[in-house]
């Protein structure tokens, strides 16, 4: 099946603390896992992605880890700032008989408390 | 470089009508994908166009259709609108020419918010 589950749906974190969002996917053939940030009134923006041949990737305060065996991947944001407040979506690539698409998680609303 | 633009930004229609939404990709991008975003179903892939051809497709009924022009601009059309079609419709563009298209960075527009009454 094509399913991506994302938890938690809402997350409140004190400014300066870390935030972790987790996703699980069902298709063992998925190879690409992007994370998007969506601010109010805007479209999603890619913040980091990871491919199946890599276990971890970091970009400044943002990191993503991937466990292909367990079929789950996580987004880690350290030293959170007010501008990190947004809705975050994970996604997994699905390729089915040549038809390719991204399947998205249901989103996590992250609120940074000053 | 200008980002992805979508018009109109807001639209109100009534049940049974049809609607056409427009998307202009980033200059040089040849792939355009469309997504529907609702509170209940989240972000769902509609279809992807490349070189004026539908290359990938999601699981939406035939009332949802699209097309792409030679300048890569794309339109999507929804016929016989239903209340459940109320959503934010997002367009995303990418180069579209890599060996693994699905792994290319997609750049989203701000969306068109459609309300069906």
């Amino acid at each position: 099946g094509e399913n991506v589950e994302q938890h938690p749906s809402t997350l409140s974190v004190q400014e300066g603390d870390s935030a972790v969002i987790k996703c699980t996917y069902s298709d063992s053939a998925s190879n690409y896992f992007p994370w998007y940030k969506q601010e109010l009134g805007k479209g999603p923006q890619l913040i980091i992605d990871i491919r199946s041949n890599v276990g971890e990737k970091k970009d400044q305060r943002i990191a993503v880890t991937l466990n292909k065996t367990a079929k789950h991947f996580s987004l880690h944001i350290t030293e959170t700032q007010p501008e990190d407040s947004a809705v975050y979506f994970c996604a997994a690539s699905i390729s089915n008989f040549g038809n390719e698409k991204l399947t998205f998680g249901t989103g996590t609303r992250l609120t940074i408390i000053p | 470089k200008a980002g992805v633009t979508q018009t109109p930004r807001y639209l109100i229609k009534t049940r049974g009508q049809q609607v056409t939404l427009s998307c202009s990709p980033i200059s040089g991008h040849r792939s355009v994908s469309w997504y529907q975003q609702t509170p209940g179903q989240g972000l769902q892939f509609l279809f992807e166009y490349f070189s004026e051809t539908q290359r990938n497709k999601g699981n939406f009924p035939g009332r949802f259709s699209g097309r792409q022009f030679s300048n890569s601009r794309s339109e999507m059309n929804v016929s016989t609108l239903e209340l459940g079609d109320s959503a934010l419709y997002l367009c995303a563009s990418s180069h579209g020419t890599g060996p693994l298209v699905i792994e290319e960075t997609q750049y989203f527009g701000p969306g068109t918010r459609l309300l069906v009454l």
Side-chain angles (χ1 to χ4, degrees):
Chain A
E2 309 166 358
N3 196 37
V4 176
E5 292 188 5
Q6 183 172 348
H7 299 281
S9 56
T10 59
L11 180 61
S12 293
V13 172
Q14 207 72 37
E15 183 179 352
D17 287 351
S18 296
V20 180
I21 303 170
K22 299 181 179 181
C23 288
T24 59
Y25 60 98
S26 56
D27 189 345
S28 55
S30 295
N31 285 320
Y32 175 63
F33 308 91
W35 285 88
Y36 287 86
K37 174 184 181 182
Q38 186 173 23
E39 296 174 297
L40 200 60
K42 297 183 179 180
Q45 179 184 11
L46 179 74
I47 54 171
I48 196 167
D49 57 14
I50 192 167
R51 288 166 177 78
S52 59
N53 58 346
V54 176
E56 184 174 359
K57 184 176 178 180
K58 195 173 180 182
D59 183 4
Q60 300 182 346
R61 297 185 298 109
I62 294 173
V64 57
T65 58
L66 171 65
N67 184 327
K68 277 225 85 177
T69 304
K71 289 193 273 188
H72 66 70
F73 56 113
S74 301
L75 177 71
H76 305 253
I77 306 174
T78 59
E79 300 171 20
T80 53
Q81 301 167 3
E83 52 265 36
D84 294 331
S85 293
V87 179
Y88 291 81
F89 293 94
C90 62
S93 63
I94 305 288
S95 186
N96 191 8
F97 297 104
N99 193 48
E100 298 180 337
K101 64 178 184 179
L102 287 177
T103 296
F104 285 81
T106 48
T108 296
R109 183 174 298 279
L110 175 63
T111 302
I112 306 302
I113 305 165
Chain B
K1 247 186 196 179
V4 177
T5 58
Q6 292 187 244
T7 56
R9 292 294 309 278
Y10 304 93
L11 206 49
I12 300 176
K13 292 285 187 179
T14 55
R15 278 181 299 174
Q17 287 187 310
Q18 74 164 12
V19 66
T20 299
L21 313 180
S22 181
C23 171
S24 291
I26 291 172
S27 177
H29 285 190
R30 293 168 62 188
S31 169
V32 173
S33 297
W34 287 90
Y35 294 84
Q36 181 195 66
Q37 186 174 28
T38 59
Q41 299 296 319
L43 264 163
Q44 292 187 289
F45 173 72
L46 281 151
F47 30 65
E48 183 240 353
Y49 282 85
F50 176 80
S51 287
E52 303 177 64
T53 301
Q54 187 181 91
R55 189 163 58 174
N56 293 295
K57 190 178 184 308
N59 303 320
F60 278 79
R63 298 188 298 109
F64 293 83
S65 62
R67 58 176 177 168
Q68 187 180 34
F69 302 95
S70 57
N71 62 357
S72 295
R73 191 177 71 83
S74 177
E75 289 181 347
M76 72 160 274
N77 183 77
V78 188
S79 62
T80 321
L81 283 166
E82 300 175 359
L83 296 179
D85 296 333
S86 293
L88 181 67
Y89 290 88
L90 292 160
C91 161
S93 76
S94 67
H95 287 288
T97 54
L100 294 168
V101 174
I102 194 65
E103 297 187 10
E104 290 185 355
T105 299
Q106 293 194 46
Y107 296 86
F108 283 83
T112 294
R113 187 163 295 281
L114 171 66
L115 178 60
V116 181
L117 301 175

